[in-house]
Amino acid sequence: MQDKTIFMTGGAGFIGSTLIGRLIEHNRIVVFDNLSRNALSKLPYANHQNLTVVVGDVTDAPALEAAMLRADPQIVVHMAAIAGIDTVIRSPTTTMRVNLMGTLNALESARKQPRLERFVDFSTSEVFGSNAFRAEESGLASIGAVGEARWIYAVSKLTGEHMAHAYHREFGLPVVTLRPFNVYGPGQVGEGAIHRFVVHALQDKEIQVHGDGTQIRAWCYVDDMVDGVLLSMEHPRAVGESLNIGNARAVVTIYGLANAIVRVLGSKSQIRFVPKNYVDIELRVPNVDKARDLIGFEAKVDLEEGLLRTGKYYADLRAS
């Protein structure tokens, strides 16, 4: 991709800042972000001449619309959201407000862009509920009980998907929705399990596993996730679709993950089980056949290789 203007809400976050690294040399990038989770500031291209950072909040519709109009983008990537189980449970109303109003504001602003070629909307694998094995995009979303704080994030993101696809059907907005499955890797900020486990393992600190550790996840290395985003930005068959982006080969229990990190990093960390005070995801493994068949996506980085790369990044960071 070259000579495009790309507007990213939440672009200073983990996935957004990694995506910028793949695009910045040959495209103009405008990031709209409140910088609450700023992974971009530590990267070598944070002050690149092709990058503009606008500090703002997606719930501020006039500010978002003005920034997008100034940018005049061909592509909008909407990543801004409240995420992370601890944050969601602590701030459920903020989660709803940001994820619902922010998505609506981004869609409304994008609809007014004369050169718009693609709107990439980030949803979540959480829309599949607590038990999802080889979940297909066309399968039923299974959101938990009303009042259970865990599902506020999933409900808000699923509603955002419906809004995005409504804009596609009614206004012809060239929308594609992505459902990331447990993305990890260098530069992660926030509450991800691999990030937390790796940082503790490098310091030989205790690794705490919530519950009995039998919860099963499929882990997607961030470079693979970015490959999926790039394909969805360009491929004509992506328009109007929801796509799972993940690695169905990198499947392990949370306890198995903690042990793998200790082994791969040569750590002396002890693993301890601690009670969890929230509903958890018991099984989450994607079916990515649709993304492969439609846009040619295929995850390449297996779990052990991804853990090694992630460990090296955080070890180098500590040493610097």
Side-chain angles (χ1 to χ4, degrees), residues 193-251:
I194 288 183
H195 173 220
R196 186 173 70 251
F197 288 0
V198 165
V199 169
H200 283 208
L202 289 170
Q203 302 173 67
D204 295 325
K205 289 184 176 179
E206 179 181 88
I207 294 175
Q208 295 186 351
V209 172
H210 293 161
D212 60 9
T214 60
Q215 309 95 311
I216 297 171
R217 302 282 189 278
W219 298 93
C220 182
Y221 190 68
V222 65
D223 287 357
D224 287 330
M225 180 68 214
V226 168
D227 285 346
V229 179
L230 292 171
L231 287 165
S232 74
M233 290 165 69
E234 292 192 279
H235 204 295
R237 296 180 69 188
V239 174
E241 302 290 346
S242 291
L243 299 171
N244 293 340
I245 303 295
N247 187 345
R249 299 187 309 272
V251 177

Side-chain angles (χ1 to χ4, degrees), residues 59-72:
T59 61
D60 185 345
L64 177 59
E65 183 174 325
M68 201 179 293
L69 283 170
R70 284 195 302 271
D72 187 23

Side-chain angles (χ1 to χ4, degrees), residues 4-317:
K4 300 288 187 183
T5 298
I6 303 162
F7 188 95
M8 300 182 184
T9 70
F14 168 43
I15 297 173
S17 59
T18 308
L19 176 62
I20 290 169
R22 300 274 286 274
L23 292 166
I24 194 65
E25 292 300 329
H26 303 290
N27 302 276
R28 176 173 174 252
I29 312 295
V30 179
V31 167
F32 187 88
D33 200 303
N34 66 5
L35 305 183
S36 61
R37 290 184 174 179
N38 191 352
L40 182 59
S41 63
K42 300 182 177 68
L43 297 174
Y45 43 83
N47 297 309
H48 197 285
Q49 62 181 1
N50 292 342
L51 175 65
T52 301
V53 176
V54 179
V55 180
D57 194 305
V58 288
T59 61
D60 185 345
L64 177 59
E65 183 174 325
M68 201 179 293
L69 283 170
R70 284 195 302 271
D72 187 23
Q74 290 136 304
I75 298 169
V76 173
V77 185
H78 176 52
M79 296 172 281
I82 299 294
I85 181 62
D86 293 338
T87 304
V88 169
I89 289 175
R90 185 170 59 249
S91 305
T93 54
T94 300
T95 299
M96 279 289 194
R97 187 169 63 251
V98 171
N99 294 358
L100 293 178
M101 293 175 57
T103 299
L104 179 61
N105 292 341
L107 288 163
E108 271 296 300
S109 296
R111 191 159 72 94
K112 299 171 184 177
Q113 305 310 309
R115 298 197 301 157
L116 190 73
E117 299 171 3
R118 193 67 50 93
F119 184 101
V120 181
D121 170 51
F122 270 50
S123 181
T124 174
S125 59
E126 295 244 340
V127 301
F128 291 111
S130 61
N131 284 282
F133 178 68
R134 290 190 54 77
E136 297 181 355
E137 293 87 344
S138 59
L140 294 176
S142 178
I143 307 302
V146 173
E148 173 54 58
R150 169 78 196 223
W151 305 118
I152 286 171
Y153 174 67
V155 168
S156 67
K157 297 298 278 184
L158 184 60
T159 305
E161 276 199 55
H162 280 286
M163 280 196 294
H165 288 273
Y167 270 71
H168 171 65
R169 289 190 300 271
E170 189 169 348
F171 305 118
L173 201 71
V175 163
V176 55
T177 294
L178 304 181
R179 293 172 173 173
F181 278 72
N182 295 97
V183 182
Y184 73 99
Q188 187 168 13
V189 290
E191 302 165 16
I194 288 183
H195 173 220
R196 186 173 70 251
F197 288 0
V198 165
V199 169
H200 283 208
L202 289 170
Q203 302 173 67
D204 295 325
K205 289 184 176 179
E206 179 181 88
I207 294 175
Q208 295 186 351
V209 172
H210 293 161
D212 60 9
T214 60
Q215 309 95 311
I216 297 171
R217 302 282 189 278
W219 298 93
C220 182
Y221 190 68
V222 65
D223 287 357
D224 287 330
M225 180 68 214
V226 168
D227 285 346
V229 179
L230 292 171
L231 287 165
S232 74
M233 290 165 69
E234 292 192 279
H235 204 295
R237 296 180 69 188
V239 174
E241 302 290 346
S242 291
L243 299 171
N244 293 340
I245 303 295
N247 187 345
R249 299 187 309 272
V251 177
V252 68
T253 66
I254 298 297
Y255 179 58
L257 174 68
N259 275 289
I261 289 171
V262 169
R263 174 177 55 80
V264 166
L265 301 184
S267 173
K268 297 177 182 177
S269 292
Q270 298 297 308
I271 298 170
R272 183 166 71 91
F273 299 99
V274 298
K276 63 177 186 288
N277 56 0
Y278 54 83
V279 173
D280 206 350
I281 303 295
E282 298 303 324
L283 174 63
R284 183 191 288 154
V285 179
N287 183 318
V288 293
D289 291 351
K290 183 179 178 182
R292 183 196 63 215
D293 295 343
L294 275 183
I295 65 174
F297 170 76
E298 192 77 54
K300 302 178 182 69
V301 181
D302 287 328
L303 183 60
E304 187 156 320
E305 174 62 25
L307 294 178
L308 283 168
R309 294 186 192 181
T310 305
K312 183 180 186 306
Y313 169 85
Y314 286 109
D316 292 346
L317 195 64

